[in-house]
Amino acid sequence: MDKNSVYETNSFYWDTKGNEYLGAIVLPFYGAFVSEEKCQLFGDVSGKKMLEIGCGNGQSLQYHGEHKASELWAVDISEKQIKKAAQHLKACGLSAKLICSPMEEECGMPVDYFDFVYSIYAIGWTTDLEGTFRRIASYLKKDGVFIFSWSHPIHRCVAAENNRLTFKKCYFDESWYSISLDEGVITLSDRKLSTYVNALAKAGFVIEQMIEQSDDEIMRDDNSEFAQRAKMLPVTFVIKARKL
C-alpha cells in the first residue's frame, strides 16, 4: 500500500464526488441505525472544546455548536469538504477552525487541548491507524474523550443471497483494495475490531463503551434489505474511549 497514492485517490474522490454518492453520516447519527439521542455518549458538551476528524460538510460540527460547545475544530483530507463545511457553518452563525490535512499527519493542531475528539464514519480512511490514534491522544486533555464510529467489519464480509446471509470475504483480511463508485475510485482496508481495540490501548486509551447493536426503533419503519440484515448482524460500531 502506497500511502501517498491512497491520499491522492481518496481526497480526489471527496473533492469531486464525495457526498453526492456516499452520502453524509452526521450527528445525531453515528451510522446506520445508531443515534446519539439513544446512546448519549457525549452527554453535555456545553463549554467543551471539540475536534472532529473528517468533518465532511460540517453538519456534525453544527450539531455540537447548537449544543453550546465553546470551540469547534476539524480536520479533513478534502479541500472541497472543508470549503463546504466553512460555508455551512457560516450560514448557521457558527465559527470553526478548519484544517485540510490527512488525519495521520502533523497539521498544527494544539496538544493537550481538547475535551472531545470524535469521528463519524471517517476514522477508517486512515492509512496509519496506530499513528492516528497517537495523534488524537496528544490532542486530548488528560481524561479527554475520543468517540468514533465506522462500518462494522463483519458487515463487509457478509452478502445477502436468496434470502440467506453468506460469507463473501475473510474477516481476517485487512489488505487494501479499491472500489469503483459512480465514475470514481476509493481505496479502503477492512480492519478487524481487535485492530481498533489494540491500537487504542497502545495510544493510551481505555475503552469505556462499545456499541454494535442496531436501534430497533430506527429500523421499525424500514423494510429494506439493509435493515433486514441489520436485524441479524451489526452494520455500524461505535467506541467511546478515554485518555489515561
Side-chain angles (χ1 to χ4, degrees):
M1 184 269 294
D2 178 7
K3 183 182 293 188
N4 290 330
S5 176
V6 173
Y7 288 161
E8 291 175 5
T9 298
N10 290 340
S11 62
F12 179 78
Y13 185 86
W14 283 102
D15 280 341
T16 56
K17 301 288 183 180
N19 304 134
E20 297 172 13
Y21 187 86
L22 293 179
I25 299 172
V26 298
L27 290 171
F29 296 100
Y30 286 104
F33 313 120
V34 183
S35 72
E36 167 62 12
E37 293 174 350
K38 180 72 173 287
C39 300
Q40 293 292 299
L41 298 180
F42 283 98
D44 183 7
V45 300
S46 59
K48 303 299 184 182
K49 298 172 183 176
M50 318 291 289
L51 167 62
E52 181 169 10
I53 306 297
C55 65
N57 59 18
Q59 291 184 57
S60 292
L61 290 165
Q62 175 193 353
Y63 178 85
H64 285 308
E66 291 176 346
H67 284 77
K68 310 304 181 184
S70 64
E71 292 185 27
L72 302 175
W73 294 63
V75 60
D76 197 286
I77 196 174
S78 166
E79 290 184 5
K80 183 174 181 180
Q81 295 297 318
I82 288 287
K83 290 179 181 177
K84 281 184 176 181
Q87 292 169 355
H88 177 74
L89 292 170
K90 183 178 180 180
C92 295
L94 297 168
S95 61
K97 176 67 173 178
L98 307 176
I99 299 172
C100 185
S101 171
M103 65 183 80
E104 304 91 329
E105 295 185 359
E106 166 59 39
C107 59
M109 202 68 69
V111 298
D112 300 319
Y113 187 76
F114 295 97
D115 300 291
F116 288 91
V117 176
Y118 67 96
S119 180
I120 310 301
Y121 254 68
I123 207 71
W125 296 91
T126 182
T127 60
D128 179 5
L129 189 69
E130 291 187 6
T132 296
F133 283 177
R134 286 195 300 271
R135 287 203 183 279
I136 289 170
S138 73
Y139 303 150
L140 282 165
K141 299 175 181 176
K142 186 180 184 302
D143 295 322
V145 171
F146 174 36
I147 299 172
F148 71 94
S149 67
W150 187 246
S151 175
H152 198 290
I154 198 67
H155 169 62
R156 297 287 304 165
C157 297
V158 176
E161 298 176 356
N162 300 320
N163 296 318
R164 299 180 65 183
L165 295 179
T166 58
F167 269 83
K168 64 177 182 178
K169 177 182 180 295
C170 175
Y171 176 80
F172 304 107
D173 181 6
E174 296 186 322
S175 57
W176 287 80
Y177 61 93
S178 294
I179 305 174
S180 296
L181 297 172
D182 191 31
E183 299 181 358
V185 177
I186 59 174
T187 304
L188 291 169
S189 168
D190 298 324
R191 300 177 176 94
K192 306 185 301 291
L193 280 179
S194 58
T195 300
Y196 289 100
V197 170
N198 293 331
L200 285 168
K202 287 183 180 179
F205 286 102
V206 59
I207 294 174
E208 292 192 343
Q209 193 170 352
M210 178 174 172
I211 296 165
E212 55 179 352
Q213 71 271 20
S214 299
D215 187 331
D216 291 336
E217 292 182 13
I218 301 176
M219 289 192 296
R220 184 173 297 157
D221 298 323
D222 190 335
N223 295 314
S224 68
E225 178 186 303
F226 189 65
Q228 293 302 313
R229 196 183 332 182
K231 292 177 181 178
M232 293 182 282
L233 54 83
V235 295
T236 296
F237 78 97
V238 190
I239 290 179
K240 177 180 180 179
R242 189 174 299 274
K243 177 182 174 179
L244 295 172

